[in-house]
Amino acid sequence: MTDTTTISSGHKTVTGTGVKRREDRRLLTGEGKFLDDLNFSEFLEAAIVRSTVAHARVRSIDVSGAIDLPGVAGVYTAGDLEELLQNLPPKVVHPDMSHRVRFPIVLDEACYVGEIIAVVVAENRRIAEDAVDLVIVDYEPLPVVASTASALDKDGPIAHLDAPDNVCVHITQKAGDPDGALLSAPHVLSETFVISRGGGHSMEGRAVAARFDEVAGELTVWDATQAPHYARQMLAVFYEMTEDQIRVIAPEDVGGGFGPKAQFYGEEVLIPFLAKKLGRPIKWIEDRWENFVSSAPERTQTHRMSVGFDDEGKLIVIKDIFEHDQGAYCLGLQVPSITMSTLPGPYKIANIHSELFSCYTNMVPTSSLRGAGRPQAVYVMERMMDRIAEHLGIAPEEVRRRNLIQADEFPYAVGLLFRDGSPLTYDSGNYPGLLEKAESRIDLSAFRDRQIRERKEGRFLGVGIGMCVEGTGLGPYEGARVRLTNFGRIMLTLAAAPQGQGYQTVYAQLAADALNLDMDVIDVRHGDTGNIPFGQGTFGSRVTANAAPAVVDACTQLKGDLVKAASMLLGVPVDQIELSGTGAFVVDDPERTMSLLEITRAFNVGRHGIAVKPGSPVGLERTAYFTPERAAYSSSINICVVEVDPETGMVELLRSVLVHDCGTVLNPLLVDGQVYGGFAHGVGNALYEEMHFDESGQPQTVSYLDYALPGALELVTPELVDQETPSPLNPLGVKGVGESGTIPTPAAIANAVEDALRPFGARFNRLPITPMRVLDALGVLD
Amino acid sequence: MTEQEQITTDLHPLHLTVNGKDVDSVLDSRISLADFLRHELRLTGTHLGCEQGSCGACTVIVDGVAVRSCLMFAVQLNGSTVETVESLCVDGQLSRLQQAFHEEHALQCGFCTSGFLMSLTAHLREHQVTNDQEAREALSGNICRCTGYAGMVKALLAVGDGESTTQ
Ligand code: FES
Ligand code: FES
């Protein structure tokens, strides 16, 4: 019953503190519920026949051997699935874009190694995989496009039959008069940069399971996705069902996302469809080889960049023309559009020319990966800042300082458009503050003295800076629903689905403060379209800036209802009621309390057939959606120290100081965790990760034996310094942080490597900087 | 019978101890230890990240040694003693290492976590971890994509004093 002391003891704010995660216990004890951990033992399992050729006409598919294998329930090709031969549309498009139709399964032309040719459904995965080997596909090889250079070569091969060329889109954005400014600038430097990014490599791959309930006419889909509502919408269109007939559940635990799981794939259409068709539940679990050949990576961009500047190192103009590899189909233009608008970064530049050639190749389609086009832009810009410094003999930090947008210049209009089509206007920030904090933490002058001393001893140390501004918190909206349950607890439902970000913890913190109740009475669930009708998903560091205001809004509304309910039950005016702990109390008489349980009994459970007073707050539940006006801009700086061994070409990371500004911090523990993880990803991009394809479009990196992810020995723990410049675009002042550690890191490390090897004049215009590339740049390999 | 069918019906008896319990089974020779644990015993805390010995997510302890359960056939283990992540928490009490992982935010998505816990539990039974380098070496056989290992390094240093980590 009512425990007065836990109710009227007053509320202690938890938002902004490093509350430890609620998610941890189940994951530490092996009780996490990832998709493949759910008990689907009665489910059939699918395995997929994938194209082994990068570009081919499929002459015939012989499935007879596979069908005859005992335990096989069926083998399906496009010929069996005509209803599904609809286009999987790209997310972000452009009016000038040239489209290529992407079916969930190959009809007659395979356009990359890994594309789905057939689906085998069997009693278990072993049998399904055996059957995959028995499917015989007759390919007629076609010319292959295996690089952007070859894609854009006028006389080169074409990635799709019946297409005139390989151009997906050609877009130019300009501010000021870049061509004129390049002609008149006192100094102009030009460089070509090739930037490789690789794959997402969530430790759990993609996964889909589905069951069709014929009696209810409902399809339930379990999907290890970042965007369950998006998946449901796509399925509703494909299957011509209403959204209420389809329930998509992202399991409570999803083993990492990083972008690839925010896309929508053929398997997500095929598996539920077959479950319905066969009348048997089916699951499909992606294996690591499939992850390499079929989950969207980000791969390569080639940039040709020119900068014009004056004798002081002040930027006058930048002109960047770049090639982006969409892969065989366009999943959307989000990545190259973000690259275009991220280029100017924290600097004041009057004249900008950013030009994109996005093209089709015969490689797995690409999409967003932690950082999403930003690390490339930052790499290009920050490398050029160092080149300017070197050219003029000014310290790199000084060149940056002279060009930074000042803290009192916000909102700052860059003159370009962002990914969502809105004017690129930075809402808030303090870029000189970032630089100053990082510089003083690392102590650059002491480092440079040491650098000179060490060089005499034959040790080559270098320091490098990477600075960036990062659009986060994209719309259109995110939603939250909060309810007083029949057992007197608060159930907070988020539309967005996490993959390790700790939503169950941080949103309970926010809800506790918005409701003035104990965190312990608040449960958080997420990622189930059956529980909240609308949502967008987790991508682009957008959830905090969208969902957090929605949570606060819904909870504030519910708080009003709870106060009203308590005031009616206690017979005192609403201004005499406060919430605290596990219920409400009377301000002038704190001994008089009303627990959540009593409130729910009166107004949610109710008494069957007995009227309540008119105007009673029955059905205590509120739903809110927040729609940001536009993106909120986070910013960060990374200064890295490396040592390079000119004998072996090995780069050792010695230190990183990372100052990031994501506005108001809701849980510092989680924010730091995001930055640490993002940093590791950036180190991978800088030094290790690269996907290789041979000239025939065959992927050469299809396991962790040929594709290196950074392990603990390759990393340092970055020293984090906080700066909080709240965003004016949402009531909490929050901005995204999921990518802040990644974005400036490749630039910082490359600048540091070049600084270390300055006595040799070695240049590093290509990522990742592998030992071979170091030796090559040093001329050792000649 | 085709060759395929022969393969799928190559059965062997198996007796082993898993997390202190005797287990008897008759099993296809092709079933990996990981699949046996996950599907037959429904010990789903052991995860599969690569199925080829690179990521360490599937690490369990067999006869005291940390092994990759994706690379072993279950029938190889007749008579062995297997410990999985489900054995670490005793009577509702997290092990020191598990507790340190929680305190230091050493996990995010948690998919890699079981493998790290088992590798480190085996390591800490025989070694102390007293500095950053030793911690990183102990962690270097497994991959985590979420955390950058920062919290794991801290957690390991917090319990690396040679005291028992099981309680
Ligand atoms: S699943 Fe066994 S090492 Fe990766
Ligand atoms: S916590 Fe996600 S892979 Fe390690």
Side-chain angles (χ1 to χ4, degrees):
Chain A
M1 269 317 327
T2 317
D3 176 352
T4 342
T5 50
T6 62
I7 291 180
S8 53
S9 54
H11 180 73
K12 218 167 129 227
T13 304
V14 281
T15 305
T17 67
V19 173
K20 300 207 167 52
R21 298 202 325 164
R22 292 177 158 189
E23 289 85 346
D24 288 356
R25 191 175 174 97
R26 63 173 187 268
L27 297 165
L28 286 165
T29 52
E31 282 157 16
K33 289 284 170 270
F34 298 93
L35 194 145
D36 199 26
D37 300 340
L38 302 174
N39 196 347
F40 290 136
S41 44
E42 87 281 22
F43 280 39
L44 296 173
E45 288 197 71
I48 293 180
V49 180
R50 297 182 184 276
S51 177
T52 54
V53 183
H55 192 196
R57 198 176 269 128
V58 176
R59 285 209 205 95
S60 65
I61 307 170
D62 177 3
V63 301
S64 55
I67 286 181
D68 288 345
L69 191 70
V72 169
V75 183
Y76 302 89
T77 65
D80 310 307
L81 302 166
E82 267 164 36
E83 311 88 309
L84 298 185
L85 295 179
Q86 305 170 43
N87 185 28
L88 287 160
K91 277 191 174 177
V92 174
V93 294
H94 187 275
D96 299 343
M97 191 181 140
S98 169
H99 291 261
R100 301 289 179 273
V101 174
R102 171 188 169 222
F103 290 145
I105 185 165
V106 168
L107 174 58
D108 50 14
E109 183 189 357
C111 292
Y112 65 93
V113 171
E115 193 167 10
I116 302 173
I117 301 277
V119 185
V120 176
V121 182
E123 291 303 326
N124 62 47
R125 180 170 146 194
R126 288 180 290 280
I127 298 173
E129 286 186 357
D130 287 348
V132 163
D133 291 341
L134 300 174
V135 173
I136 300 163
V137 187
D138 184 9
Y139 296 103
E140 175 191 330
L142 295 168
V144 172
V145 181
S147 69
T148 53
S150 127
L152 294 169
D153 176 354
K154 292 218 167 16
D155 304 317
I158 295 182
H160 295 260
L161 288 170
D162 305 329
D165 56 33
N166 298 313
V167 177
C168 173
V169 77
H170 176 203
I171 308 172
T172 305
Q173 282 209 47
K174 285 188 195 185
D177 172 21
D179 288 324
L182 270 174
L183 286 175
S184 60
H187 306 270
V188 174
L189 291 174
S190 300
E191 284 291 356
T192 299
F193 298 103
V194 180
I195 305 143
S196 189
R197 286 220 63 213
H201 298 288
S202 53
M203 284 293 107
E204 177 200 37
R206 294 182 291 130
V208 186
R211 177 168 56 205
F212 182 65
D213 178 341
E214 232 180 306
V215 180
E218 278 172 11
L219 182 64
T220 306
V221 179
W222 293 265
D223 191 348
T225 177
Q226 294 172 231
H229 289 82
Y230 178 67
R232 181 192 59 175
Q233 177 60 20
M234 297 295 289
L235 292 176
V237 171
F238 261 87
Y239 303 156
E240 295 181 8
M241 293 169 79
T242 66
E243 71 261 30
D244 294 300
Q245 292 171 305
I246 303 174
R247 178 177 174 193
V248 177
I249 303 169
E252 182 166 40
D253 295 307
V254 171
F258 314 119
K261 287 182 184 169
Q263 308 310 317
F264 187 74
Y265 298 85
E267 294 87 350
E268 288 166 283
V269 179
L270 295 164
I271 301 300
F273 183 84
L274 291 174
K276 193 171 164 203
K277 187 177 167 105
L278 267 75
R280 294 276 308 273
I282 304 177
K283 80 168 172 180
W284 167 74
I285 308 292
E286 180 185 67
D287 71 19
R288 190 53 63 184
W289 174 76
E290 291 181 292
N291 184 258
F292 271 100
V293 301
S294 69
S295 277
E298 201 166 294
R299 242 177 7 245
T300 306
Q301 288 183 353
T302 300
H303 288 252
R304 292 181 181 81
M305 170 78 159
S306 300
V307 285
F309 49 97
D310 68 12
D311 297 339
E312 307 295 306
K314 285 219 167 150
L315 292 162
I316 297 169
V317 54
I318 55 174
K319 178 170 184 172
D320 179 42
I321 301 173
F322 72 105
E323 296 164 10
H324 177 81
D325 176 7
Q326 295 291 159
Y329 304 98
C330 180
L331 307 190
L333 295 174
Q334 47 274 21
V335 169
S337 351
I338 292 175
T339 303
M340 291 186 90
S341 54
T342 303
L343 190 67
Y347 307 116
K348 282 188 265 191
I349 311 170
N351 306 288
I352 303 171
H353 175 122
S354 180
E355 183 172 353
L356 159 70
F357 286 92
S358 190
C359 54
Y360 292 109
T361 62
N362 292 115
M363 296 183 281
V364 56
T366 60
S367 189
S368 318
L369 161 64
R370 200 171 200 170
R374 298 176 187 84
Q376 298 91 318
V378 171
Y379 183 79
V380 170
M381 190 67 219
E382 291 297 289
R383 302 307 314 282
M384 287 315 261
M385 295 307 281
D386 267 35
R387 297 290 164 89
I388 295 169
E390 190 185 67
H391 184 80
L392 296 175
I394 305 174
E397 63 277 16
E398 185 53 32
V399 169
R400 286 174 172 81
R401 191 170 7 257
R402 290 177 190 179
N403 286 288
L404 290 175
I405 297 160
Q406 297 300 300
D408 59 4
E409 291 180 283
F410 293 91
Y412 182 87
V414 178
L416 303 178
L417 298 179
F418 191 44
R419 166 201 193 283
D420 57 359
S422 67
L424 183 61
T425 303
Y426 300 159
D427 57 310
S428 57
N430 178 3
Y431 310 145
L434 293 176
L435 180 59
E436 197 180 305
K437 289 187 179 76
E439 262 186 280
S440 74
R441 177 66 174 261
I442 205 135
D443 195 349
L444 283 172
S445 63
F447 172 79
R448 292 207 171 101
D449 290 344
R450 175 174 169 215
Q451 185 181 38
I452 292 167
R453 284 198 311 273
E454 301 271 14
R455 265 183 202 158
K456 289 186 187 133
E457 308 292 315
R459 288 186 66 193
F460 295 89
L461 305 188
V463 67
I465 305 175
M467 272 190 99
C468 70
V469 179
E470 170 196 358
T472 71
L474 288 169
Y477 66 84
E478 208 49 73
R481 170 173 279 185
V482 62
R483 184 175 93 224
L484 176 63
T485 72
N486 287 357
F487 297 94
R489 296 182 60 79
I490 301 291
M491 173 59 78
L492 174 63
T493 303
L494 300 168
Q499 308 80 40
Q501 294 89 338
Y503 291 0
Q504 293 181 349
T505 306
V506 66
Y507 290 105
Q509 290 176 256
L510 269 178
D513 288 341
L515 288 160
N516 250 36
L517 293 171
D518 260 5
M519 239 184 106
D520 289 346
V521 300
I522 298 166
D523 300 309
V524 180
R525 61 183 181 170
H526 40 62
D528 182 343
T529 65
N531 291 332
I532 179 164
F534 306 110
Q536 292 290 321
T538 299
F539 57 90
S541 300
R542 64 180 297 278
V543 172
T544 311
N546 281 270
V551 166
V552 171
D553 185 5
C555 289
T556 308
Q557 293 181 40
L558 184 72
K559 184 182 174 190
D561 297 340
L562 292 169
V563 167
K564 185 172 176 195
S567 94
M568 287 177 80
L569 293 173
L570 289 164
V572 297
V574 286
D575 60 8
Q576 272 298 305
I577 297 289
E578 258 181 38
L579 299 188
S580 172
T582 58
F585 66 93
V586 178
V587 176
D588 289 344
D589 186 3
E591 296 289 291
R592 291 186 63 204
T593 61
M594 188 57 58
S595 71
L596 292 175
L597 190 61
E598 290 165 304
I599 294 173
T600 200
R601 281 185 182 149
F603 293 119
N604 275 359
V605 178
R607 279 174 297 161
H608 250 188
I610 310 292
V612 290
K613 253 194 227 152
S616 291
V618 295
L620 290 149
E621 176 180 81
R622 291 285 186 157
T623 303
Y625 293 91
F626 180 73
T627 56
E629 180 187 321
R630 53 196 166 81
Y633 288 85
S634 296
S635 51
S636 53
I637 182 170
N638 190 354
I639 302 189
C640 287
V641 176
V642 302
E643 176 171 0
V644 186
D645 183 340
E647 304 272 301
T648 62
M650 290 296 289
V651 175
E652 190 186 350
L653 195 56
L654 299 180
R655 209 180 155 194
S656 157
V657 169
L658 229 159
V659 192
H660 65 98
D661 188 339
C662 61
T664 311
V665 169
L666 302 181
N667 181 327
L669 190 76
L670 301 184
V671 164
D672 288 357
Q674 286 297 313
V675 181
Y676 290 140
F679 168 76
H681 208 136
V683 173
N685 292 153
L687 298 174
Y688 303 104
E689 295 178 47
E690 185 169 23
M691 300 180 81
H692 291 282
F693 291 79
D694 71 9
E695 279 171 11
S696 66
Q698 279 295 335
Q700 304 296 299
T701 38
V702 292
S703 80
Y704 293 137
L705 303 177
D706 5 81
Y707 184 97
L709 291 175
L713 280 170
E714 283 75 53
L715 290 166
V716 294
T717 297
E719 300 158 45
L720 305 188
V721 185
D722 255 11
Q723 176 176 294
E724 291 191 28
T725 316
S727 171
L729 297 176
N730 62 68
L732 294 164
V734 292
K735 308 173 187 178
V737 69
E739 301 166 277
S740 305
T742 310
I743 297 166
T745 299
I749 291 177
N751 281 336
V753 172
E754 223 168 79
D755 184 49
L757 297 178
R758 215 173 294 282
F760 304 94
R763 292 296 201 207
F764 295 93
N765 289 5
R766 194 179 183 110
L767 284 183
I769 303 176
T770 58
M772 284 297 267
R773 293 207 171 111
V774 172
L775 296 180
D776 194 23
L778 290 172
V780 179
L781 295 181
D782 297 341
Chain B
M1 264 206 304
T2 66
E3 197 187 328
Q4 289 293 342
E5 285 165 86
Q6 275 170 16
I7 290 172
T8 54
T9 53
D10 184 12
L11 300 177
H12 295 260
L14 174 68
H15 171 85
L16 72 173
T17 308
V18 179
N19 298 339
K21 289 197 195 102
D22 284 342
V23 174
D24 284 292
S25 188
V26 177
L27 216 56
D28 267 5
S29 55
R30 70 189 303 202
I31 293 182
S32 69
L33 173 58
D35 283 353
F36 175 69
L37 294 170
R38 291 178 52 77
H39 301 150
E40 306 286 323
L41 305 185
R42 299 257 348 121
L43 293 171
T44 54
T46 300
H47 295 141
L48 291 165
C50 70
E51 294 171 276
Q52 51 149 224
S54 311
C55 75
C58 65
T59 306
V60 299
I61 300 176
V62 173
D63 298 329
V65 180
V67 302
R68 315 223 147 182
S69 62
C70 70
L71 290 187
M72 295 190 108
F73 292 116
V75 294
Q76 284 175 277
L77 298 188
N78 204 15
S80 291
T81 298
V82 179
E83 297 163 74
T84 72
V85 69
E86 285 88 353
S87 70
L88 296 182
C89 176
V90 178
D91 297 332
Q93 187 78 35
L94 295 180
S95 74
R96 281 184 74 209
L97 182 66
Q98 285 174 313
Q99 187 63 34
F101 263 53
H102 174 60
E103 302 289 334
E104 302 296 349
H105 189 27
L107 61 152
Q108 289 183 25
C109 81
F111 196 80
C112 69
T113 306
S114 317
F116 274 100
L117 288 170
M118 297 319 285
S119 300
L120 298 175
T121 296
H123 186 85
L124 288 167
R125 284 177 187 163
E126 295 181 5
H127 308 273
Q128 295 200 0
V129 176
T130 56
N131 59 45
D132 187 86
Q133 180 65 18
E134 284 174 8
R136 289 180 186 278
E137 273 164 21
L139 293 165
S140 67
N142 295 49
I143 299 174
C144 172
R145 188 58 152 173
C146 296
T147 65
Y149 313 93
M152 284 192 252
V153 169
K154 280 198 221 159
L156 204 41
L157 289 173
V159 298
D161 50 15
E163 299 285 313
S164 161
T165 52
T166 31
Q167 275 314 303

